[in-house]
Amino acid sequence: MTSTSAALAPAERAVQLLGSDLSEVALRQHLEGLPAVDAVGLEARAARFGTRSIKTTSKAQALDLAIRMIDLTTLQGADTRGKVRSLVAKALVPDASDPSTPRPAAVCVYGDMVGHAVEALGPAWSAGKDDGINVAAVATAFPAGRASIEVKLQDTRDAVAAGADEIDMVIDRGAFLEGNYGKVFDEIVLTKEACRRADGSYAHLKVILETGELFTYDNVRRASWLSILAGGDFIKTSTGKVQPAATLPVTLLMLQVVRDWERLTGERIGVKPAGGISTAKDAIKHLVAVAETCGEAWLDPKLYRFGASSLLNDVLLQRQKLTTGRYSGPDYVTID
Amino acid sequence: MTTTTKTTTRLDVPKTYKLFIGGGFPRSESGRVTEVRDGEGRFVANVAKASRKDAREAVRAARKAQPGWAGATAYNRGQVLYRVAEVLEGRKAQFVDELQRTEGLSAARARAQVEEAIDLWVWHAGWTDKIAQVAGSANPVAGPYFNISVPEPTGVVAIVAPQSQGLLGLTSVVAPALVMGNAVVVVPAASSPLVAISLAEVLATSDLPGGVVNVLTGDPAELAPWLASHADVNALDLTGAGDLDWVALEVAAADTLKRVIRPEPGIAPETPQRILALTETKTVWHTKSRM
């Protein structure tokens, strides 16, 4: 199962699409045979999403939906248990002035903080069920991904064992840019396997493409297909550590891939833009892009997430504006 | 058109008076403008008519700029305010012209107003590094402590400027707010928007950091309620709101505990009290050592 072997790890989706004798050549032929991206058209299309008028009741719905889609994130070297506890407290009660405020989908932390997040969530922790707040952990030597596969897999297993419901893995961008698609593919397959819990269920796997390091839209499209073929449940734009992070054109492109995948197989893959989405206005543009690209079925936290930290406060301010009729200010939300 | 005929008339280059937000001169987000006409009904200029969203952007810009302005040394703030007076002096003719056209003043009276405004900037520039000595105090306490009270800026101040004497009225409310390090969102007199935006151009070229003063030309009755209720505004100066329902504005401001300056009786301009009305007193305890 190493990159040097011709045969790739058997991922069910890839076998179905590319045939049972899954090889790196077949994978390359498929990925490089994807049509090239019309960059100008893509950017023009993305720019149009900002022109939709989302007002009053639809704005209120969009804001609540945006909150429910947030993976409230802290990924700093300086993270402490206290920081994670306060992040969880924010997730439990996003706006103390309005108990009707929905909760975000998940809190996203480094693997070693998973246990603390689970403990702080207490009964609000979803523990793999549908209701409650998930704990997502970044793994596989996040954010660079520069470590041996054994280290990456152990990183993943640790987080899953500590209770992570979702694993955000990074792909090996170096291998991808070298054209070593098989190595990237194998790592995703192995990480997916490392997400298996003792009871046989799997933690959700989000595959971070780090689009800011892939340089071209064509590469983003290829990496998206590669990640889905290898078994990713979600494709995620970025770590948030590299600029540019989640731009709207890149997110749109990834949405087009999951839409095409659904048409091909009937299977729904999630998309998670992360990094750089800090205002409610941006978030609403993304929701418009989702609805107009994949359909309203995708307006669901199971299929679309925002990786963000400051976004929540801005959405809360907009929400307060809608409920009180006056503009709110940063004094009326928590300092993160 | 041939080059042989030399025309003596130039095409007019009329100026569009835009808003002043965050150090830039944007048009109103709403795209609205108001026509300004002189006493004889002749067209003078189009002036942007600010909307509530422009007010929101202005407050955001003011909030961003305020800590930097308050953090500048008092001496530096004084230099900047004096610089405003210097630049204003150099552009006196433009202000005289605009006041004549919008307020229908004689050249002499327009000139007198501009000069009075310039002097008022100088007066305030002088106060920046002195007001703390006048209003601050060392308080006697029963213990081995220094106990010191100093005035500090309130934060973001929303102002409805006086409705008469466009330039002087505007200066008399904006300058005192700036002395201690507040940031300002001001709605100038509806009748004299030209001098307000020209003053903004002066501020923009006087080393005043972008966003410290934001000017929203438009209808005070439309904009004031949004500023009064805005939770990120710390003080509301209603000096020029006498003709509005200013009690309702004060009520709206009370929701978020804003400091309010009422139009009646108001606070006389060119007094230290006018400056101190937009400050908060901070008291500090510090141990005294015998060493």
Side-chain angles (χ1 to χ4, degrees):
Chain A
M1 284 196 200
T2 64
S3 58
T4 48
S5 72
L8 294 169
E12 197 187 334
R13 287 173 187 159
V15 170
Q16 281 174 3
L17 193 72
L18 305 178
S20 55
D21 53 338
L22 195 56
S23 70
E24 178 141 7
V25 174
L27 185 63
R28 166 169 294 118
Q29 276 176 348
H30 178 74
L31 293 178
E32 295 187 348
L34 290 169
V37 179
D38 169 7
V40 174
L42 181 74
E43 284 169 9
R45 173 82 180 127
R48 302 284 297 174
F49 295 129
T51 65
R52 309 293 186 263
S53 180
I54 311 288
K55 302 288 184 201
T56 62
T57 47
S58 41
K59 185 171 183 187
Q61 279 191 16
L63 293 176
D64 279 5
L65 180 61
I67 295 176
R68 292 199 294 122
M69 284 178 168
I70 289 176
D71 281 3
L72 197 60
T73 302
T74 182
L75 295 171
Q76 303 295 330
D79 281 349
T80 57
R81 283 173 291 170
K83 178 80 197 285
V84 171
R85 271 201 303 274
S86 71
L87 185 83
V88 168
K90 174 92 172 177
L92 292 174
V93 185
D95 185 349
S97 68
D98 184 355
S100 73
T101 313
R103 288 172 171 174
V107 292
C108 182
V109 294
Y110 269 112
D112 61 336
M113 288 293 175
V114 169
H116 303 304
V118 166
E119 191 188 334
L121 279 167
W125 178 40
S126 72
K129 294 188 303 292
D130 266 356
D131 58 335
I133 299 175
N134 282 350
V135 175
V138 295
T140 67
F142 180 94
R146 297 255 67 87
S148 71
I149 183 66
E150 287 75 22
V151 170
K152 291 182 186 180
L153 294 179
Q154 191 56 43
D155 194 10
T156 310
R157 285 188 208 106
D158 282 352
V160 173
D165 307 288
E166 304 172 2
I167 294 293
D168 290 25
M169 71 166 289
V170 290
I171 64 168
D172 184 341
R173 280 88 73 191
F176 181 90
L177 293 172
E178 282 173 0
N180 201 345
Y181 301 135
K183 177 159 190 272
V184 180
F185 183 90
D186 277 350
E187 285 195 4
I188 298 172
V189 174
L190 291 171
T191 309
K192 172 94 178 173
E193 211 40 48
C195 288
R196 192 212 288 261
R197 301 193 189 94
D199 65 359
S201 62
Y202 284 84
H204 271 254
L205 181 65
K206 304 198 200 101
V207 184
I208 304 174
L209 311 182
E210 194 63 298
T211 54
E213 291 182 345
L214 297 182
F215 304 110
T216 67
Y217 289 129
D218 288 348
N219 277 344
V220 172
R221 178 175 277 176
R222 285 184 197 125
S224 301
W225 275 95
L226 176 67
S227 306
I228 294 171
L229 284 170
D233 300 310
F234 253 84
I235 49 178
K236 174 174 167 182
T237 60
S238 348
T239 60
K241 307 286 184 193
V242 169
Q243 290 300 323
T247 64
L248 196 48
V250 158
T251 312
L252 170 61
L253 178 57
M254 290 164 62
L255 282 167
Q256 290 171 346
V257 174
V258 301
R259 175 198 62 196
D260 293 348
W261 182 260
E262 195 214 11
R263 284 182 185 166
L264 196 65
T265 67
E267 191 180 16
R268 287 175 179 171
I269 306 294
V271 177
K272 175 178 171 183
I277 304 165
S278 57
T279 64
K281 204 172 195 174
D282 287 344
I284 290 174
K285 281 183 205 169
H286 276 261
L287 295 181
V288 170
V290 172
E292 292 188 12
T293 310
C294 296
E296 294 185 12
W298 250 266
L299 292 177
D300 182 326
K302 287 198 185 69
L303 291 170
Y304 202 74
R305 294 282 180 84
F306 294 108
S309 44
S310 55
L311 172 64
L312 180 55
N313 272 351
D314 194 65
V315 175
L316 292 178
L317 292 179
Q318 299 304 318
R319 213 172 167 276
Q320 290 175 359
K321 157 74 174 60
L322 282 184
T323 33
T324 63
R326 62 168 166 76
Y327 287 116
S328 191
D331 289 350
Y332 296 82
V333 289
T334 56
I335 301 167
D336 301 320
Chain B
M1 184 83 102
T2 59
T3 48
T4 50
T5 14
K6 181 168 162 56
T7 51
T8 48
T9 51
R10 264 189 80 230
L11 281 178
D12 284 341
V13 185
K15 177 164 145 190
T16 306
Y17 288 78
K18 295 185 278 187
L19 307 175
F20 183 50
I21 298 174
F25 291 89
R27 289 185 165 79
S28 168
E29 153 281 334
S30 64
R32 299 179 303 175
V33 291
T34 316
E35 274 190 8
V36 175
R37 294 185 177 275
D38 65 12
E40 275 111 57
R42 283 174 306 213
F43 174 80
V44 176
N46 279 321
V47 176
K49 187 178 182 196
S51 67
R52 66 175 171 90
K53 291 192 178 177
D54 295 314
R56 176 193 65 188
E57 291 309 310
V59 171
R60 192 172 289 166
R63 172 59 63 201
K64 200 169 160 210
Q66 197 269 331
W69 178 238
T73 61
Y75 180 65
N76 181 231
R77 284 200 304 276
Q79 284 179 311
V80 170
L81 296 190
Y82 189 80
R83 174 86 183 150
V84 173
E86 286 176 4
V87 176
L88 205 48
E89 181 75 31
R91 291 174 58 163
K92 209 192 286 183
Q94 180 193 352
F95 285 88
V96 171
D97 175 57
E98 284 171 349
L99 283 176
Q100 280 184 274
R101 290 207 280 172
T102 54
E103 296 188 7
L105 299 179
S106 68
R109 298 192 65 151
R111 192 177 181 82
Q113 187 187 141
V114 175
E115 286 174 352
E116 204 177 329
I118 294 171
D119 294 349
L120 200 53
W121 281 104
V122 174
W123 189 84
H124 283 97
W127 270 111
T128 55
D129 57 357
K130 300 173 189 72
I131 192 87
Q133 292 92 306
V134 173
S137 58
N139 313 310
V141 287
Y145 302 101
F146 292 114
N147 186 281
I148 301 158
S149 295
V150 286
E152 298 225 319
T154 295
V156 173
V157 183
I159 301 175
V160 181
Q163 298 299 309
S164 60
Q165 294 200 296
L167 180 63
L168 184 60
L170 187 59
T171 302
S172 72
V173 288
V174 171
L178 294 179
V179 169
M180 284 304 294
N182 293 301
V184 167
V185 176
V186 61
V187 183
S191 56
S192 0
L194 303 193
V195 281
I197 294 304
S198 295
L199 179 66
E201 291 167 5
V202 168
L203 298 174
T205 48
S206 303
D207 290 337
L208 191 75
V212 171
V213 173
N214 303 276
V215 182
L216 300 172
T217 50
D219 180 4
E222 179 193 353
L223 297 169
W226 289 103
L227 292 169
S229 65
H230 197 308
D232 206 23
V233 171
N234 303 107
L236 185 65
D237 180 348
L238 295 174
T239 302
D243 292 339
L244 308 180
D245 183 1
W246 61 267
V247 176
L249 294 175
E250 191 174 355
V251 170
D255 257 354
T256 47
L257 303 177
K258 285 182 188 61
R259 198 165 279 287
V260 174
I261 298 178
R262 295 175 178 172
E264 296 154 15
I267 304 173
E270 210 169 346
T271 58
Q273 287 72 26
R274 195 72 186 62
I275 298 170
L276 292 169
L278 298 171
T279 60
E280 311 295 331
T281 300
K282 181 168 86 177
T283 298
V284 187
W285 293 67
H286 195 283
T287 49
K288 265 182 195 165
S289 163
R290 290 193 181 281
M291 288 291 287

